């Protein structure tokens, strides 16, 4: 048996070991999922699924502190933010149970023409089939909830593979589902070698593939899917923020700092590129730097930590290389720009890096934000859109005309007004455009993705009056 070490990213101390599943084991899991789905007699009634999800949420609530510490320990997310993640995950599980009330079909009018007259038609939704889900490290519990709980809710057997860096929260969640009464055949946790995971994803028995991770991996795996397999891909971005001269700088800065440095920037919709009207650029950057200097960097398990470690040393090195590239090209590093340890990187603000550099073009996924001045706001829109990614964006302005113009001009699936780009609640649509993803996430939308609409048409008998 091959095992991998699960390390605390702050100090690389080994927390636990997890055994990799062999292909034979994965094949057995998938075959059981296929047989469970095909045999409709095995499907669980909605009231039982609701009860299981609600019991699971209660178990999570009883273990909130332990779950938060697990997230902080294996994922490096500051403990205060990890506690918020646990609360969101609990709400998400309960939301899946509630959303079953809205998962329904409709009556289709048939007598609109002669051809359809004498018929009654209606639709309802059926589960799509076995799901294989591959997840990311940055929300090691809540992302798993977003992929697994909707599948459980709609009667889709699911095989869930968390990130190798953060498998313990996912493993714990699956165990809690079992304690709540879910039979193991409906949900299997696994880690596996890359080639075995790819084989599982591309297997014809897989009806739906759910992926959260890098664009390179996600688009590749999509290309390997068997005919008929549906999918949803959630990748990253380089979120832009537009700030005009009408704002009160002091009032918006806490939001900017939170959106840029939450979880050390390891969020797919983190603020990365800030476009600021040149008339307020100096004042804005001076005040931003002062707030960033106050951020506490350290062990995520400490309650006062604002920025924890990056997930692994290689990521810290990559962030450093990108910042040094910007520095050597003439950009000004206003604060930060230093490696503090193998995985800790100082929160960093860069002024006016060239827009052909990595820090401007690619998702940095680290505690780095870039600030660019503009004279004409229409130029800022164009520059904000001129990247291969498009996810969420933000605009800060007290001018209604600017807000209305910006929400139309920005290429994004969601535009936040006077709030940071990383805002999210778990029932809203959440999706990337261009290279940032495929399909729409958010719990209600995922539940619809995991079901298919079936129509029934009844030809009515002609009865004598």
């Amino acid at each position: 048996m091959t095992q991998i070490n699960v390390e605390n990213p702050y100090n690389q101390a080994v927390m636990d070991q997890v055994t990799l599943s062999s292909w034979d084991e994965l094949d057995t899991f998938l075959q059981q999922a296929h047989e469970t789905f095909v045999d409709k007699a095995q499907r669980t009634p909605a009231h039982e699924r609701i009860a299981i999800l609600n019991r699971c949420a209660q178990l999570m609530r009883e273990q909130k502190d332990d779950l938060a510490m697990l997230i902080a320990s294996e994922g490096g997310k500051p403990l205060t933010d990890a506690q918020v993640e646990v609360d969101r995950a609990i709400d998400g599980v309960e939301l899946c149970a509630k959303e079953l009330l809205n998962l329904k079909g409709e009556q289709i009018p048939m007598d609109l023409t002669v051809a359809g007259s004498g018929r009654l038609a209606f639709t309802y939704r059926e589960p799509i089939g076995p799901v294989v889900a591959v997840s990311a490290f940055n929300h090691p519990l809540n992302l798993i909830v977003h992929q697994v709980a909707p599948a459980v809710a709609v009667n889709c057997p699911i095989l869930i593979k968390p990130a190798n860096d953060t498998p313990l929260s996912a493993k714990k969640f699956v165990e809690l589902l079992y304690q709540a009464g879910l039979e193991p055949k409906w949900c299997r946790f696994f880690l596996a070698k890359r080639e075995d995971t790819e084989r599982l994803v591309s297997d014809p028995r897989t009806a739906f593939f759910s992926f959260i991770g890098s664009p390179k991996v996600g688009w590749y795996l999509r290309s390997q899917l068997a005919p008929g397999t549906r999918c949803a891909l959630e990748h990253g971005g380089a979120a832009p923020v537009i700030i005009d001269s009408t704002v009160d700088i002091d009032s918006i800065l806490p939001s900017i700092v939170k959106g840029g440095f939450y979880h050390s920037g390891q969020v797919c919709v983190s603020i990365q590129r800030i476009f600021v009207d040149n008339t307020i650029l100096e004042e804005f950057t001076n005040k931003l730097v002062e707030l960033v200097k106050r951020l506490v960097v350290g062990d995520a398990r400490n309650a006062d930590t604002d920025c924890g470690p990056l997930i692994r040393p290689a990521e810290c090195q990559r962030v450093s290389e990108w910042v040094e590239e910007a520095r050597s090209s003439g950009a000004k590093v206003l604060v930060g720009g230093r490696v503090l340890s193998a995985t800790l990187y100082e929160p960093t603000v860069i002024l006016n890096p060239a827009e052909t550099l990595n820090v401007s073009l690619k998702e940095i996924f680290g505690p780095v934000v870039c600030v660019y001045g503009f004279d004409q706001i229409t130029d800022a829109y164009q520059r904000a859109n001129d990247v291969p990614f498009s996810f969420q964006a933000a605009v800060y302005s007290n001018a209604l005309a600017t807000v209305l113009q910006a929400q139309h001009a920005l290429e994004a699936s969601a535009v936040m007004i006077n709030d940071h780009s990383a805002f999210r609640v778990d029932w809203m649509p959440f999706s990337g455009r261009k290279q940032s993803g495929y399909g729409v996430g958010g719990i209600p939308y995922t539940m619809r993705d995991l079901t298919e609409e079936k129509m029934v048409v009844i030809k009515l008998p002609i009865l004598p009056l």
Side-chain angles (χ1 to χ4, degrees), residues 42-258:
Q42 296 193 54
R43 296 186 186 177
T44 309
H47 67 88
E48 292 184 16
R49 285 176 266 142
I50 290 170
I52 289 169
L53 290 167
N54 286 333
R55 284 196 295 267
C56 180
Q58 182 57 35
L59 290 169
M60 295 170 72
R61 194 171 282 111
E62 293 167 1
Q63 301 179 43
K64 280 176 58 173
D65 292 343
D66 291 341
L67 289 169
M69 185 58 72
L70 186 58
I71 291 168
S73 299
E74 70 169 342
K77 177 175 286 188
L79 185 59
T80 53
D81 295 324
Q83 290 165 341
V84 172
E85 178 173 343
V86 175
D87 287 335
R88 283 181 60 188
I90 293 168
D91 290 342
V93 173
E94 292 178 331
L95 178 60
C96 288
K98 295 173 184 175
E99 190 60 29
L100 283 172
L101 292 170
N102 300 317
L103 202 67
K104 52 194 175 185
E106 59 181 349
Q107 181 187 343
I108 308 296
M110 296 302 290
D111 60 350
L112 302 177
T113 68
V114 173
S117 63
R119 290 166 175 82
L120 173 68
F122 61 90
T123 67
Y124 64 95
R125 304 197 73 84
E126 294 186 320
I128 195 170
V131 178
V132 174
V134 174
S135 203
F137 74 85
N138 53 334
H139 305 287
L141 179 61
N142 201 41
L143 291 183
I144 300 300
V145 165
H146 271 255
Q147 292 172 297
V148 172
V152 172
V154 302
N155 254 336
C156 283
I158 182 167
L159 282 65
I160 177 69
K161 181 202 171 298
N164 284 6
D165 295 297
T166 55
L168 303 181
S169 296
K171 187 170 181 286
K172 181 64 176 178
F173 177 64
V174 173
E175 291 170 354
L176 291 176
L177 281 171
Y178 294 166
Q179 290 178 37
L182 186 72
E183 294 182 68
K185 65 185 179 182
W186 288 102
C187 181
R188 297 289 190 181
F189 164 94
F190 76 95
L191 291 182
K193 295 178 180 177
R194 180 194 57 78
E195 56 269 25
D196 290 334
T197 301
E198 182 178 332
R199 188 174 175 184
L200 191 69
V201 167
S202 60
D203 192 288
R205 293 169 293 180
T206 297
F208 195 92
F209 171 51
S210 170
F211 178 82
I212 303 173
S214 73
K216 180 180 179 181
V217 176
W219 291 115
Y220 168 74
L221 290 174
R222 179 173 179 259
S223 74
Q224 302 303 302
L225 297 180
T229 302
R230 274 46 174 177
C231 73
L233 310 177
E234 184 182 307
H235 301 148
V241 173
I242 310 290
I243 301 174
D244 77 2
S245 60
T246 68
V247 300
D248 178 71
I249 294 174
D250 292 326
S251 68
I252 71 169
L253 274 174
S255 171
I256 296 287
V257 172
K258 187 65 176 179

Side-chain angles (χ1 to χ4, degrees), residues 398-426:
N398 290 320
L400 179 61
T402 297
V403 166
L404 294 176
Q405 181 189 56
Q407 60 84 23
H408 177 72
L410 287 169
E411 293 180 5
S413 58
V415 179
M416 307 302 163
I417 308 300
N418 293 326
D419 203 352
H420 59 72
S421 60
F423 172 79
R424 182 185 185 185
V425 291
D426 297 298

